[in-house]
Amino acid sequence: MRVLSMWTATSRVRVGRFAVGKAVFSKAFALKAPYFATVRPRFVALRPNYAELVVPKRRRVHNHLRTVHAIALCNGLEAAMGALAEVSIPADKRWIPKGMEVAYTAKATSDITCIAETDPQQWTGDDPDVPVRVRGVRDDGTVVVEGVIRLWVTPRPAR
C-alpha cells in the first residue's frame, strides 16, 4: 500500500498552476525497475484493480517502422501491472510475475495508453494464479496490444 499512499500524496501536487505530482510519481515509480524508465511511463490513474499510464512515442522506443516497438509496449504493460499489483494485493500476500501472453493487433503509431485491470476477488481467493488483463491503446482508440500477465500470489512469510 506504500505505492498507493505515494500516488495519493504526490498526484495532487501543484507548482503554481502546473500539476506536477503525477510526473513526480511516474519518475519515482520508474526507479523501481530500471527497464520501466526506458519507456518513461506517465501515470494517469492508479487505484486498486486498475492502473493506467502513457508510454510516449519517441525515437528511443521506435522500431524500424517508426512505431513503438514490442518490448517497449510490454515494458509499459508490465509497469501498469506492477503498480496495480502493489496497490491491490492484501498486506499478508506477495506477488511475482509468472508469465506474459500478448497479441499485437495494430501498429503503435502514437503515444500508447497502457491499462492493467483485475477483479477484487482475484486477490482474496486461494488460487495463487492471478491473471491481470492488460492492453495498450493508441490515441485514436485502437487497441495495439492486449493480453494477460500472470502473477504468482502467495502468503507472505511470517517474520
Side-chain angles (χ1 to χ4, degrees):
M1 289 308 219
R2 287 180 292 177
V3 171
L4 186 57
S5 297
M6 190 169 88
W7 170 257
T8 302
T10 61
S11 63
R12 296 186 183 114
V13 173
R14 300 184 70 81
V15 175
R17 60 186 181 124
F18 299 103
V20 297
K22 290 179 181 179
V24 169
F25 175 87
S26 297
K27 286 191 184 296
F29 189 83
L31 295 174
K32 271 190 93 72
Y35 60 91
F36 289 166
T38 66
V39 296
R40 292 189 184 163
R42 291 189 325 243
F43 279 83
V44 175
L46 182 59
R47 60 184 179 270
N49 304 300
Y50 186 86
E52 181 178 332
L53 61 85
V54 174
V55 172
K57 182 180 182 288
R58 58 193 177 89
R59 187 175 186 280
R60 178 158 265 192
V61 296
H62 281 180
N63 58 23
H64 63 289
L65 302 173
R66 292 190 186 161
T67 62
V68 180
H69 67 76
I71 299 303
L73 294 172
C74 287
N75 284 351
L77 295 175
E78 193 159 355
M81 172 281 302
L84 172 144
E86 287 294 317
V87 304
S88 302
I89 195 164
D92 63 336
K93 293 189 178 180
R94 62 184 179 176
W95 66 274
I96 189 166
K98 184 174 152 180
M100 175 186 264
E101 302 161 13
V102 295
Y104 303 103
T105 56
K107 289 182 182 177
T109 57
S110 69
D111 291 355
I112 303 299
T113 300
C114 295
I115 299 166
E117 296 178 289
T118 55
D119 301 314
Q121 64 273 17
Q122 291 178 260
W123 299 100
T124 57
D126 292 332
D127 187 357
D129 185 49
V130 174
V132 178
R133 299 177 305 276
V134 293
R135 70 183 181 280
V137 183
R138 227 169 34 202
D139 286 348
D140 67 2
T142 302
V143 174
V144 300
V145 60
E146 59 188 341
V148 173
I149 300 175
R150 296 197 175 284
L151 304 181
W152 189 251
V153 177
T154 57
R156 193 173 287 279
R159 291 186 180 184

